[in-house]
Amino acid sequence: MVLPIEVAEANWLTDVFKGKDKKSEHASSKHASAQHARDLKHKTAKHEKEAKPGAAKADHVKLAALGPLNPPLSKSASVACLPAKFRIAVDVGHTAESEGATSARNVPEFAFNLRLAQQIAEGLKAAGFVSTKLLVTEGKAKPSLFRRVAVANDMNADLFLSVHHDSVPNKLLEDWEFEGKKSHFSDRFGGYSVFVSHDNTDFKTSFAFAELVGKQMKASGLDYAKQYTMPIMGHYQYPLLDKDTGVYAHDELVVLRKTRMPAVLLEAGSIINRDEELKMGSAERRDLISDAVVAAVKDFCAPPAANSVAAKSAVTKSAEGQCTTSAC
Ligand SMILES: [Zn+2]
């Protein structure tokens, strides 16, 4: 779930979607998540690359050198890149301390985000994107937003992907009992959604990547969340930028507008919808989504001819006689 600026910047999701007594109910899973997070962080740190300059950056420089003849595309990373040098920051939404939404069965969103983001990062590395870094952030909600942005900026990431799972506004929640505990659900809505910010330093490329992610999610048989255009969402409505792929604009999100590289936030699916929560918890669904993201990154780095937004950019460049991509 993504919220308007006031809540998104102040408290992210925690205070909005958490029940009052959720902390004690989930102390053990929270602890497990925290330990897992520490382990992952340690692992990630060990594999962190020190070398910053790479061929992908060289491509950027090369394109930038084309100057004003090609200004809108000069920063575009949607050109052929070297996967081994292409730095992707896969951000685990929320923290072990501030866990985001709570699922219909009282599992914190952070646990879902961690498992899926970890699988996406592993999938990217297996596909040759070995410079991929999993960002697991600790601490309170608001400072964690700026910390994850700082890490992505410091590592000169070429692409930033934040992984989340969706819920609904409080007013749409219904009560039920799960394992003897009063719990909340909403089966009314479901699906993934992809968010970008016009305030990102490179909105155009962010949008191109978001389109590829949405397209691959759709091709995997998944539906996107339609409710963000509905009046019932009140302040939680966002402009739908592409009605085919499920890409929305959410301009205020810190991780999308403060990152100095193309950035996309993926709400992978709903965990407040009882059926969908079970699916989101399955290895099959994680495989499906992870494969979709990896395919989107591959397309992004080497756009298939005339079949993606990135490719369309390439075709435009070709028409201008300045294309440097393999798609030309
Ligand atoms: Zn979230």
Side-chain angles (χ1 to χ4, degrees), residues 273-290:
N273 177 311
R274 291 175 294 185
D275 282 347
E276 192 160 317
E277 180 194 7
L278 294 178
K279 288 173 186 160
M280 298 311 293
S282 71
E284 291 75 16
R285 180 59 63 91
R286 280 195 299 278
D287 285 346
L288 201 69
I289 295 173
S290 174

Side-chain angles (χ1 to χ4, degrees), residues 1 12-13 94 100-101 109 113 164-165 267:
M1 185 67 188
W12 199 239
L13 291 168
H94 308 283
E109 181 194 343
N113 295 344
H164 286 253
H165 288 72
E267 293 280 5

